[in-house]
Amino acid sequence: MKKTVIAGNWKMNMTRAETKAFFREIAPLVNAKDSCGVVFCVPFTDLAAAVRGARGTGIKIGAQNVHFMEKGAYTGEISAKMLREAGVSYVIVGHSERRQYFGETDETVNLRVKAALAAGLKVILCLGEMRDAREKGITDEVVSMQTKLALRDVTEKQLRSVIIAYEPVWAIGTGLTATPEQADETCGVIRATVASLYGKKAARRLVIQYGGSMNEKNAAELLAQPNVNGGLIGGASLKPAAFAAIVAAANGKN
Ligand code: 13P
């Protein structure tokens, strides 16, 4: 059966020492062995400490980006194989902050998705509309196109290792949240797009997360929506108690 997955995206926060302290605090609060899936996507320099801190807890560790080439002269980049060897099992690809500030395009997102999957990583593929697209009423077209382009040449078997995170850009870090109805509706559009590409069964199996100012107060209502199968949490993933409360809300759903 499909599992709810709650993932934290720390973004550019937490030093190695802070990471160690965080996992000491979160471990007793979250029993990820018999609950929803729990993932923390941490900065590259925190990966080793996070992998160590999560040992024995059932919590999985992810990175926040991956390069699409196997190796070579790409100064500053990190390959999928390097992540695998570091004990990483997930990677975020296509986060809107990478699209907005670092020139990430649908094409490079697709290349990164394929490189990560080929190396055996699980992918949290982020997509979502900007505020003006929501205002113009073209959200469905935008997310559907982003889904198709990101998954180009991804096989049905590989899709089993993909989670899609629907993150409306206007809701990220702003305190604004999509209403549960908006989140459900747009996650439904993404699922229908995946059904058109891979069939209904594959679409039903797909975990689609909502992300954008999800917190301990609004999580239960968002997670109660049929098309919302988890959350990708930014700010609230830096606070052990808040994050544990979101995991508890998700377990209430299972
Ligand atoms: P916030 O939860 O801080 O809005 O961030 C969401 C996000 O971008 C997760 O990837």
Side-chain angles (χ1 to χ4, degrees):
M1 210 188 81
K2 179 168 68 193
K3 247 189 171 189
T4 304
V5 180
I6 301 295
N9 173 11
W10 279 2
K11 309 190 180 185
M12 197 173 74
N13 292 293
M14 300 281 209
T15 65
R16 193 171 72 110
E18 288 164 348
T19 302
K20 284 187 193 171
F22 181 93
F23 276 89
R24 272 197 297 273
E25 223 180 307
I26 196 81
L29 300 180
V30 170
N31 179 0
K33 280 186 203 146
D34 44 29
S35 78
C36 66
V38 180
V39 184
F40 281 98
C41 298
V42 307
F44 293 126
T45 48
D46 295 337
L47 286 171
V51 166
R52 212 170 301 126
R55 215 166 268 161
T57 66
I59 295 171
K60 301 276 188 276
I61 300 304
Q64 298 172 11
N65 195 17
V66 61
H67 197 255
F68 42 83
M69 298 303 283
E70 274 180 34
K71 60 168 153 174
Y74 304 100
T75 302
E77 294 296 327
I78 302 281
S79 76
K81 192 173 168 190
M82 292 170 189
L83 294 178
R84 285 280 287 168
E85 234 182 83
V88 167
S89 38
Y90 282 83
V91 64
I92 292 175
V93 176
H95 193 280
S96 66
E97 286 150 16
R98 299 230 45 100
R99 295 180 193 247
Q100 274 183 293
Y101 310 143
F102 302 100
E104 201 76 64
T105 64
D106 286 316
E107 192 186 351
T108 56
V109 168
N110 173 246
L111 291 173
R112 287 175 210 267
V113 167
K114 287 187 289 191
L117 291 171
L121 289 166
K122 290 185 166 51
V123 169
I124 300 178
L125 165 64
C126 297
L127 48 90
E129 82 286 2
M130 313 268 281
R131 182 194 296 274
D132 68 324
R134 173 64 64 177
E135 284 169 358
K136 282 189 195 132
I138 55 167
T139 296
D140 295 3
E141 288 82 349
V142 169
V143 298
S144 178
M145 186 57 74
Q146 287 175 326
T147 304
K148 285 182 188 159
L149 293 175
L151 294 177
R152 188 187 282 174
D153 298 327
V154 170
T155 66
E156 192 191 331
K157 185 155 179 255
Q158 286 178 318
L159 186 73
R160 292 175 196 208
S161 297
V162 176
I163 290 174
I164 295 184
Y166 166 55
E167 300 206 300
V169 178
W170 48 271
I172 294 177
T174 57
L176 292 174
T177 321
T179 64
E181 294 73 27
Q182 284 173 327
D184 189 55
E185 191 187 331
T186 310
C187 289
V189 170
I190 294 166
R191 199 178 303 283
T193 306
V194 169
S196 76
L197 297 170
Y198 297 95
K200 283 203 176 125
K201 201 168 153 201
R204 260 199 309 272
R205 210 165 31 217
L206 178 71
V207 171
I208 303 181
Q209 297 173 322
Y210 168 79
S213 301
M214 194 189 262
N215 58 40
E216 66 278 29
K217 294 192 188 81
N218 59 29
E221 213 188 344
L222 287 159
L223 293 168
Q225 304 304 310
N227 275 307
V228 178
N229 318 121
L232 184 55
I233 325 290
S237 75
L238 299 167
K239 301 179 242 167
F243 188 83
I246 297 171
V247 171
N251 285 332
K253 180 181 180 175
N254 276 342

